[in-house]
Amino acid sequence: MHLRSLKCALTNTNFIRFSLSFGPPSPVSIPIRSIQHLSKCNFFSTKPAEMAKPSVYVTREINKEALAVLADTCEVTFWPGPDPVPRSELLKNIAHKDALLCMLTDKIDAEVLQCAEQLKVIATMSVGYDHLDLKEIKKHEIKVGYTPGILTHATAELTVALLLATSRRLFEANAAARNGGWQAWSPFWMTGPGLEGATVGIAGFGRIGQEVAKRLIPFQIKKLIYFNRSQKPEAESTMGAVRVTFDELLQQSDFLVVCCALTSDTVGMFDKAAFHKMKKTAIFVNTSRGGLVDQDELVKALQEERIAGAGLDVMTPEPLPLDHPLFKLKNCVIMPHIASAAVQTRAGMAMLSVENIVAGLKGEKMPSELTLD
């Protein structure tokens, strides 16, 4: 057994029952205060047995602070591997669990729920929930928690960074400096469009979209436009944002940033027709969901220079195969879905997920509960 994973949720003062999953062999439950205390445990105590704690399965290893809070009230089993939990492990370990803490990489569908006969609560450590079959979950009367808000600022920061890296060709320039392509200063070498005087269009003007806008306004952009299913009068008043139609967003934007949720209405919304309506000088940035984009048509648009460039933190599938055409394009910057990957953000997401589970198991309202229509 690897003591690194075992130690991560221990405390020096509280007696914690903790369960770890390392795949084969089966998980074990060990009551401990510390590794040294294990040999001193009295396994033949005459004290009355404690009431069984609710059981929770966590599909990835999370930070020790959040794990300790969860272990204080629940029997916890988690998948410690560096990669997403294998489907077979998820199906095996979800049986007899009262709650599930999952990631956006875990597809929670009818097959999983059939194995989870006593599941009461699902907490996803994400703001998106397209990996959850909400219709099936509602049938089983399971509560769902998620983590909006916490990752808003980190995602907005990464979105701006990705926009700048794409438009100002930072990775292309860095590669040239490293491989000998940098021969001498040249007046128009490695130039790209700047934000000053530009029209920035944002598709999806919720929390993240508005935070992206706030960070771009100081660059002295000329105009801020947005496409959203509802009007945002406060943002229009404070930021000078103008609501436009989807076609107007495509036609007017010098920089088009995608921040909308993936739904049945938005899947594949950026298709061949959409890219044909965009400016040839436009920069396209997506930090939302890969399914919003017809990826084959995006490849064609970049290859044929119908648009100037694309910055992507999300793709289909993920991870993107190494031989995918997008990796061969100089005018495409690809990040491995790290928009929320700030240390404090991920720790906060894990803690909120734990709080959602604890509240849900107590029959209380979750701090961040998803309403199932």
Side-chain angles (χ1 to χ4, degrees), residues 199-203 223-228 242-256 270 273-274 277-279 282:
T199 295
V200 173
I202 299 180
K223 189 177 182 181
L224 173 64
I225 59 177
Y226 73 94
F227 170 71
N228 201 66
V242 178
R243 188 183 180 202
V244 296
T245 66
F246 187 54
D247 279 353
E248 289 171 334
L249 184 87
L250 297 170
Q251 294 163 359
Q252 296 178 27
S253 298
D254 296 306
F255 296 85
L256 201 162
F270 291 95
K277 291 174 183 176
M278 292 175 63
K279 295 180 179 181

Side-chain angles (χ1 to χ4, degrees), residues 56 58 65-76 101 354 357-358:
V56 181
V58 184
E65 294 84 5
L67 206 54
V69 171
L70 189 60
D72 192 48
T73 57
C74 303
E75 291 278 0
V76 181
L101 197 165
V354 166
I357 285 178
V358 173

Side-chain angles (χ1 to χ4, degrees), residues 25 71 95 109 111 122 147 153 163 167 179 185-186 200 212 217 224-225 236 238 244 252 271 310 326 351 357:
D109 55 12
E111 183 183 24
I122 294 174
T147 60
H153 294 288
L163 182 152
S167 63
N179 63 24
W185 184 89
S186 182
V200 173
V212 170
I217 289 172
L224 173 64
I225 59 177
E236 292 179 2
T238 58
V244 296
Q252 296 178 27
D271 54 13
L326 285 173
M351 189 61 76
I357 285 178

Side-chain angles (χ1 to χ4, degrees), residues 39-77:
S39 61
K40 299 178 183 179
C41 290
N42 181 4
F43 294 100
F44 302 97
S45 173
T46 58
K47 294 181 180 180
E50 295 181 3
M51 289 184 63
K53 294 178 179 179
S55 57
V56 181
Y57 188 61
V58 184
T59 62
R60 298 292 282 272
E61 186 174 355
I62 57 177
N63 57 310
K64 62 182 181 180
E65 294 84 5
L67 206 54
V69 171
L70 189 60
D72 192 48
T73 57
C74 303
E75 291 278 0
V76 181
T77 305

Side-chain angles (χ1 to χ4, degrees), residues 61-116:
E61 186 174 355
I62 57 177
N63 57 310
K64 62 182 181 180
E65 294 84 5
L67 206 54
V69 171
L70 189 60
D72 192 48
T73 57
C74 303
E75 291 278 0
V76 181
T77 305
F78 73 87
W79 175 253
D83 297 319
V85 59
R87 183 75 172 179
S88 59
E89 284 293 316
L90 175 59
L91 295 174
K92 179 177 69 176
N93 283 282
I94 196 62
H96 311 300
K97 296 297 188 293
D98 298 293
L100 170 69
L101 197 165
C102 66
M103 311 292 151
L104 55 82
T105 51
D106 307 313
K107 186 177 181 181
I108 309 304
D109 55 12
E111 183 183 24
V112 173
L113 298 176
Q114 285 173 2
C115 297

